[in-house]
């Protein structure tokens, strides 16, 4: 299941994401993964969360991100939640392509919660993204 936390820069997306990560960690019977660009979440996330700096893996586009998520799921069946902060910084700013990527990820994550933060005005979202709000 894919969901978005969206809004303009400074609208509180990361705070909402951190709260969701902590809730998932408390409620999950499996593994919770947080993917970030850089190290912005390092001091805010509980140590039980698998924190990944995506820069270490040279992910640069929509196909790379899909493959990364698919690979994580293929190698660890215990993942219950994946949180991705700074999606547009990681893959690019083409919202139509982000929507296609979200569709591909949704197709392989029926039993996994995947939450992306998107720093953009929701009014600019194509229909492919709006369905995940």
């Amino acid at each position: 299941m894919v969901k978005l936390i969206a809004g303009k820069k400074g609208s509180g997306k990361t705070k909402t994401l951190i709260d969701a990560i902590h809730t998932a960690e408390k409620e999950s019977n499996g593994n919770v993964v947080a993917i970030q660009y850089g190290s912005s979440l390092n001091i805010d996330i509980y140590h039980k969360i698998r924190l990944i700096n995506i820069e270490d893996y040279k992910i640069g586009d929509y196909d790379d991100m899909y493959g990364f998520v698919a690979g994580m799921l293929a190698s660890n069946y215990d993942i219950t939640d994946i949180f991705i902060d700074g999606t547009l910084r990681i893959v690019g700013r083409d919202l139509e392509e982000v929507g296609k990527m979200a569709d591909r990820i949704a197709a392989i994550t029926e039993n996994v919660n995947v939450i992306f933060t998107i720093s953009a005005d929701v009014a600019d979202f194509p229909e492919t993204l709006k369905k995940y709000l």
Side-chain angles (χ1 to χ4, degrees):
M1 173 177 60
V2 171
K3 290 192 175 185
L4 303 178
I5 299 172
K8 294 180 180 178
K9 184 175 173 106
S11 62
K13 295 177 301 301
T14 299
K15 169 81 170 99
T16 301
L17 181 75
I18 290 168
D19 291 345
I21 291 170
H22 290 161
T23 298
E25 186 271 329
K26 289 176 188 168
E27 296 175 358
S28 175
N29 291 324
N31 296 320
V32 178
V33 177
I35 299 171
Q36 64 180 338
Y37 186 88
S39 59
S40 60
L41 299 176
N42 287 4
I43 57 176
D44 296 315
I45 301 299
Y46 299 147
H47 70 279
K48 291 170 78 176
I49 307 298
R50 171 70 167 104
L51 190 58
I52 298 171
N53 180 350
I54 202 71
E55 289 179 300
D56 295 340
Y57 298 94
K58 310 301 182 226
I59 303 301
D61 66 19
Y62 316 96
D63 290 332
D64 290 352
M65 180 57 93
Y66 168 79
F68 189 80
V69 171
M72 281 193 323
L73 294 172
S75 67
N76 184 347
Y77 293 106
D78 292 331
I79 294 175
T80 59
D81 301 88
I82 300 172
F83 297 89
I84 303 169
D85 191 31
T87 304
L88 300 182
R89 288 179 60 197
I90 298 168
V91 299
R93 300 203 60 85
D94 185 333
L95 295 176
E96 193 67 45
E97 289 298 319
V98 172
K100 291 177 187 176
M101 177 191 69
D103 287 343
R104 290 178 70 198
I105 290 173
I108 63 169
T109 58
E110 280 185 31
N111 298 316
V112 178
N113 298 312
V114 180
I115 299 177
F116 294 93
T117 62
I118 306 281
S119 290
D121 190 346
V122 174
D124 296 334
F125 279 21
E127 291 304 315
T128 55
L129 273 182
K130 285 182 181 177
K131 65 185 172 190
Y132 295 114
L133 290 172

